[in-house]
Amino acid sequence: MTYSVAVAGASGYAGGEVLRLLAGHPDFEVRTVTASSNAGRPLSELQPHLRSLAHLTLQDTTPDILRGHEVVVLALPHGASGALTDELGDDAVVVDCGADHRLADRAAWEAFYGGPYHEPWTYGVPELPTGDGKLRERLDGATRIAAPGCNASAVSLAIAPGIASGLIDEEIVAVLAVGPSGAGKSLKVPYLASELLGSANPYAVGGSHRHIPEIQQNLRLAGAHNPTVSFTPVLVPMARGILATVTASLKPGVDRALVREAWEQAYEGEPFVQVLPEGQWPRTADVLGANTALIGVTVDEAANRVVALIAVDNLVKGTAGAAVQCLNLALGLPEGRGLTVNGVAP
C-alpha cells in the first residue's frame, strides 16, 4: 500500500529534510506541499536538491488543502501548527515537527513558549527508555505524533540510561555544540555566515532554552522524580549537527563498572542509537545525513560524574528522521524503512 502525504512548511529546513526522506521511502507518495509566504512558487526554487519532487508547487497551508491525505507532516514554526491541527479531523495520521503538542505541562508551555496551549500527542523518540520499556510501544497505531525537539532528544537519549538504571543523580548538566539549521530558515543576524564563521556563539543561556521542559519530561518518563537541567547551547559554524556533552553525579556507592553496562543494555539491538566501544567518541561528521545517534560514555573518576557524549544530525534523527521512524511504527511498517544508519563522508 502507498500512503498519500502532504507536508506543510515544505520550504524550510525541517520540511525539506522530511521531503528528502519521504522521496526515497517506498510506501509514501508526496502529493502536496504547502508554505506560507512562498505559496505559489515551484518547490524546486526553494528546495533545488529535491529533483524527484521538482514537479510540485507550493500551495497555501490551510486545512482544506491538507485534508484528504492519509499522512500529514507539519514542519511549521512553534505556535503555528496547533490551531491548524484542530481543523484536520481524524482521517489522517498527523506528525507535528514543531513544539505545539510536545509538552504535557501547561505551565511549562506558558513559561517557555506562550500562546494557546494544545494537548500533548504521542511523543516521538522510540528508543527512549521508560519505566515499562521504551516509548516505541506507545507509537504502534498512533494517529497524532509529536516529533521531538532536536536538542531535547539528544540530551535525553544521552543520559536516560543513567536515570532508568538508578545510577546517577537527577541534576543534569548539558553543553551542546549546535549547527544553526536547527533554528530554521528565516533570515536572522545571529545566523549569518559573517556572524558564525570563525566563532562559537552561546545562546539561550541560564535556563531559558525552550527544550529544557521537554528534557525534564523525558527524564521523568525514564524514572526521574524532580530532574533539573542546566542546559547551554553554543552555535558553531557547521550547517547541521549536534554534539552534546551531558554529565551527572554518580550516586554514592555505585560501582563504576555498571555504567557502561547500563548504557549498552539500554540500547542493545537499537539500529539508530548506538553506544560506541570504550574509548571511542562520537563526531557530528559521522552522522551527517543519517538517522543515527552515536553515544560515547565514561566516568570522570576525579569528579565522580558520568560523562555521556552524543552526536546526531539535528535535521534527521533530531527531527525529520524521527518523524519518519514514528510514522513507520504508527502504520505497522518496518521501523527503519526509508531511513539509513550510514552517514556521508567526507
Side-chain angles (χ1 to χ4, degrees):
M1 176 178 178
T2 299
Y3 296 91
S4 61
V5 183
V7 176
S11 60
Y13 288 138
E17 196 69 5
V18 168
L19 290 172
R20 184 179 73 87
L21 297 176
L22 292 177
H25 196 297
D27 299 301
F28 294 124
E29 180 187 355
V30 178
R31 295 183 183 174
T32 301
V33 291
T34 78
S36 179
S37 60
N38 291 310
R41 298 172 66 182
L43 179 66
S44 59
E45 286 187 9
L46 283 304
Q47 308 286 8
H49 61 299
L50 300 177
R51 303 315 304 166
S52 66
L53 301 177
H55 60 285
L56 295 173
T57 298
L58 293 161
Q59 302 182 56
D60 289 321
T61 301
T62 67
D64 287 341
I65 288 175
L66 296 175
R67 287 193 200 101
H69 299 83
E70 291 157 310
V71 173
V72 176
V73 182
L74 305 173
L76 301 171
H78 303 322
S81 59
L84 186 64
T85 58
D86 293 341
E87 304 297 324
L88 287 181
D90 300 324
D91 295 335
V93 177
V94 184
V95 180
D96 186 6
C97 293
D100 292 25
H101 296 282
R102 292 176 190 158
L103 297 183
D105 186 343
R106 180 189 294 266
W109 172 266
E110 292 173 349
F112 283 84
Y113 291 92
Y117 174 74
H118 297 275
E119 292 300 314
W121 289 355
T122 304
Y123 188 68
V125 182
E127 302 91 349
L128 185 71
T130 67
D132 56 357
K134 298 282 183 72
L135 276 185
R136 173 179 290 109
E137 285 75 19
R138 307 183 189 188
L139 288 158
D140 183 15
T143 60
R144 294 292 185 271
I145 300 165
C150 53
N151 297 309
S153 61
V155 172
S156 302
L157 288 169
I159 205 67
I163 294 289
S165 61
L167 298 179
I168 62 173
D169 290 335
E170 297 182 1
E171 296 180 357
I172 309 302
V173 177
V175 179
L176 299 83
V178 182
S181 59
K185 207 172 187 178
S186 60
L187 184 60
K188 298 177 182 178
V189 170
Y191 312 131
L192 297 176
S194 57
E195 301 290 330
L196 279 173
L197 295 179
S199 181
N201 306 323
Y203 68 102
V205 176
S208 60
H209 197 284
R210 289 173 166 178
H211 286 175
I212 289 173
E214 187 179 342
I215 297 168
Q216 292 173 305
Q217 180 173 283
N218 291 346
L219 297 183
R220 290 189 188 97
L221 288 171
H225 298 289
N226 188 29
T228 63
V229 180
S230 174
F231 180 95
T232 306
V234 181
L235 285 175
V236 295
M238 58 184 182
R240 56 165 83 195
I242 297 171
L243 180 66
T245 302
V246 190
T247 75
S249 294
L250 280 173
K251 288 184 176 179
V254 168
D255 183 348
R256 288 158 175 76
L258 295 176
V259 170
R260 170 159 291 276
E261 180 182 347
W263 264 256
E264 290 179 342
Q265 287 184 353
Y267 298 124
E268 183 179 5
E270 294 287 359
F272 297 124
V273 181
Q274 301 180 17
V275 179
L276 296 174
E278 189 167 0
Q280 292 187 21
W281 308 110
R283 309 183 310 163
T284 57
D286 298 329
V287 295
L288 182 66
N291 193 52
T292 307
L294 296 180
I295 299 175
V297 62
T298 191
V299 173
D300 183 333
E301 298 281 354
N304 194 45
R305 296 183 72 84
V306 168
V307 180
L309 290 92
I310 186 168
V312 300
D313 184 325
N314 58 292
L315 293 178
V316 189
K317 185 57 176 167
T319 306
V324 172
Q325 189 177 346
C326 292
L327 277 173
N328 286 338
L329 287 165
L331 295 169
L333 301 171
E335 185 173 342
R337 182 98 79 183
L339 300 168
T340 180
V341 297
N342 298 322
V344 177

